[in-house]
Amino acid sequence: MLWTVLRVIGTVFGVFFFIMAISVLRAAEVWLPAVILFAAAWALLYFSAVAPWVKRRTSTTAPPQPGRRTRSALRKAAIGVVAPFLVVIVTGIVDVAVHPGEYEAAGADTTTSSKQATPSASPTAGPTAAPETMTEQPGPIAFTESMVRAHGVTKDDQGGQSNVRFVAGTEDPERIEDLRRQCVQHYLETTKSAYCYGYANDADYGLTTVEWTPDFDESIYGQGRPCWITYGGQPIAGPPGTETTKSALEYRTQGCPGGVLFPDYTPPVPAPTTETSPVTVPVHNACALLDADALTAGGFSDRTEQAPGAPESTARGDVLATYACGNADASVIVEIDLHNTPESAREAADYNTSNDQRFLIDSGTRVPFDPLRGGAKIINTELGISRVSWSNGPYAVLLEVMSDPVIPGLPTTHPHENIDTMITAIVERADARLASSSW
């Protein structure tokens, strides 16, 4: 009777461990914990259910033989103990080799936690002794999908390209760079290409520009949520990939609220203590810079509308106000930043279309404007995005055009020539109106 009860209990626990193993395997990236549970379930179920059933069946079909009990015991030990033990060892070796980052992060977390929980080693230490954890740097951070805020897949016909935006939860740019590399490698397991934007915190991720739409988050473009710290990935063609990290000046100029301190950060010069009169921001209509005839000729909607909100509400750093306008489907958007000096406006135009915009330039064309205006004209019909920026006095203009990508063998909706002609007409009209303040 006792052995029957023990076998029932062993069977129940074996089934329980088996269910737990399946749950752990589905929830965790590493395999070893699930395999240990499988091994325990294996041993319990074998000795509680399988072995007794085999023994009863054998005893009824074959007479006892000398040495049979010894061989049976060895066979049971091999199947019920040695086999699952070997499976655990092999799985552990393979798992550490395949998932080194997860085990390194788990080890670092365990070490940090134990050090934080340990009191001062010497009870007789003087009052000036400080806890060891106060001077230690946090351990490494491992990328997980819980950090991801947006994930889209494009180029399905070429093997797929993952476009990912994640929040790192740290203000350390170097750590965000490391997480971005881990992000790219993680998604290269499911698609042929992967690009990741890394944000420090939700405050930076939450800042959007007027051209942002929900669909924008699943695309490769980054201007809709401009406060990313680092961006990079691997193209469909394979390595080498590209990567870009912001500077402190770029982060501060964009008015990002996340409080990230870069290695090249220099504190701003304190404002004078004497009270100064507030700057008067002029009233303008950004839509007056867009040429309706040029939009129609280029194949775009000519219905335009200004961005809501007061222009001065977007003041940040060297920018006193921002005026913006877009057409009905947000395929053409213009932003005009009023800077405190022409030099600052020209630097912003140069940054907006710098040579670092490799994801546009590599498969597109870039034509710089004259040094007085700064900036350049970038047209990329393959990706379907063109970016133009230049300065006129204290104003820095950013014009973005979202077009239908050109696909070989199919009719072209927005050919390069049409986009170039439309952009040239808009630039000439905008320059004339900016110079005469007639907008």
Side-chain angles (χ1 to χ4, degrees):
M1 182 66 182
L2 177 61
W3 289 111
T4 302
V5 172
L6 292 177
R7 286 198 296 270
V8 170
I9 294 174
T11 302
V12 170
F13 274 96
V15 173
F16 173 73
F17 283 136
F18 182 77
I19 296 174
M20 286 289 294
I22 295 176
S23 300
V24 172
L25 187 62
R26 295 180 63 181
E29 295 185 6
V30 295
W31 309 321
L32 185 57
V35 173
I36 292 175
L37 290 171
F38 269 122
W42 181 344
L44 288 170
L45 291 174
Y46 178 76
F47 286 110
S48 300
V50 177
W53 177 78
V54 172
K55 180 179 179 181
R56 285 197 304 271
R57 183 175 179 181
T58 303
S59 62
T60 59
T61 59
Q65 298 178 2
R68 178 178 175 184
R69 180 172 298 179
T70 301
R71 290 194 300 272
S72 176
L74 292 175
R75 184 174 64 253
K76 291 178 181 178
I79 298 175
V81 179
V82 177
F85 182 72
L86 291 176
V87 170
V88 169
I89 293 177
V90 173
T91 301
I93 295 173
V94 174
D95 202 17
V96 171
V98 175
H99 301 105
E102 286 78 359
Y103 282 95
E104 182 180 354
D109 292 343
T110 303
T111 303
T112 303
S113 300
S114 63
K115 289 183 178 179
Q116 290 175 344
T118 304
S120 177
S122 174
T124 59
T128 58
E132 182 182 356
T133 56
M134 295 298 290
T135 59
E136 288 187 345
Q137 296 296 324
I141 303 175
F143 173 81
T144 64
E145 291 189 3
S146 63
M147 300 176 179
V148 175
R149 298 294 184 270
H151 174 212
V153 178
T154 55
K155 303 183 180 179
D156 291 322
D157 57 332
Q158 302 178 54
Q161 175 175 294
S162 295
N163 306 312
V164 184
R165 303 176 198 277
F166 69 90
V167 172
T170 174
E171 280 71 47
D172 186 342
E174 292 185 359
R175 294 191 174 202
I176 303 174
E177 286 183 359
D178 181 59
L179 288 170
R180 188 254 304 152
R181 297 186 186 98
Q182 294 182 42
C183 172
V184 171
Q185 292 303 315
H186 178 80
Y187 284 96
L188 282 177
E189 296 179 2
T190 55
T191 54
K192 191 174 182 180
S193 171
Y195 285 87
C196 296
Y197 285 92
Y199 297 80
N201 45 48
D202 286 311
D204 278 350
Y205 178 77
L207 183 70
T208 58
T209 58
V210 293
E211 67 260 41
W212 178 87
T213 62
D215 293 339
F216 197 95
D217 286 342
E218 298 183 2
S219 70
I220 193 176
Y221 315 120
Q223 289 301 110
R225 295 186 184 272
C227 289
W228 50 270
I229 304 303
T230 178
Y231 158 77
Q234 179 175 303
I236 292 286
T242 59
E243 55 183 38
T244 302
T245 299
K246 272 186 170 53
S247 66
L249 175 61
E250 296 165 9
Y251 184 80
R252 191 170 64 252
T253 301
Q254 291 177 332
C256 299
V260 178
L261 298 181
F262 292 79
D264 58 344
Y265 172 76
T266 55
V269 178
T273 55
T274 58
E275 293 187 2
T276 57
S277 58
V279 177
T280 302
V281 174
V283 178
H284 289 303
N285 178 9
C287 293
L289 302 186
L290 294 177
D291 189 330
D293 292 337
L295 292 174
T296 303
F300 297 90
S301 171
D302 62 350
R303 292 191 298 112
T304 59
E305 183 180 1
Q306 288 198 91
E312 59 270 20
S313 65
T314 58
R316 61 196 183 278
D318 298 330
V319 179
L320 306 178
T322 299
Y323 310 87
C325 176
N327 66 346
D329 57 0
S331 56
V332 179
I333 296 173
V334 63
E335 288 184 5
I336 306 98
D337 287 339
L338 173 59
H339 288 254
N340 54 9
T341 63
E343 292 76 17
S344 176
R346 188 165 56 251
E347 289 176 1
D350 287 335
Y351 166 71
N352 290 336
T353 51
S354 67
N355 282 318
D356 291 336
Q357 308 290 335
R358 301 310 312 176
F359 77 100
L360 288 178
I361 300 173
D362 286 345
S363 55
T365 60
R366 180 181 184 274
V367 180
F369 291 118
D370 59 85
L372 180 63
R373 292 191 293 183
K377 174 172 57 178
I378 303 175
I379 299 177
N380 189 315
T381 56
E382 179 180 324
L383 296 178
I385 180 170
S386 301
R387 180 177 300 162
V388 185
S389 188
W390 76 97
S391 68
N392 188 307
Y395 295 102
V397 186
L398 175 63
L399 173 66
E400 291 201 332
V401 179
M402 304 296 178
S403 58
D404 293 338
V406 174
I407 301 176
L410 296 179
T412 302
T413 306
H414 299 114
H416 183 283
E417 296 77 10
N418 289 11
I419 295 177
D420 191 18
T421 301
M422 181 188 73
I423 288 175
T424 300
I426 292 176
V427 171
E428 291 176 354
R429 175 188 177 90
D431 256 352
R433 289 184 173 264
L434 287 168
S436 60
S437 294
S438 56
W439 59 293

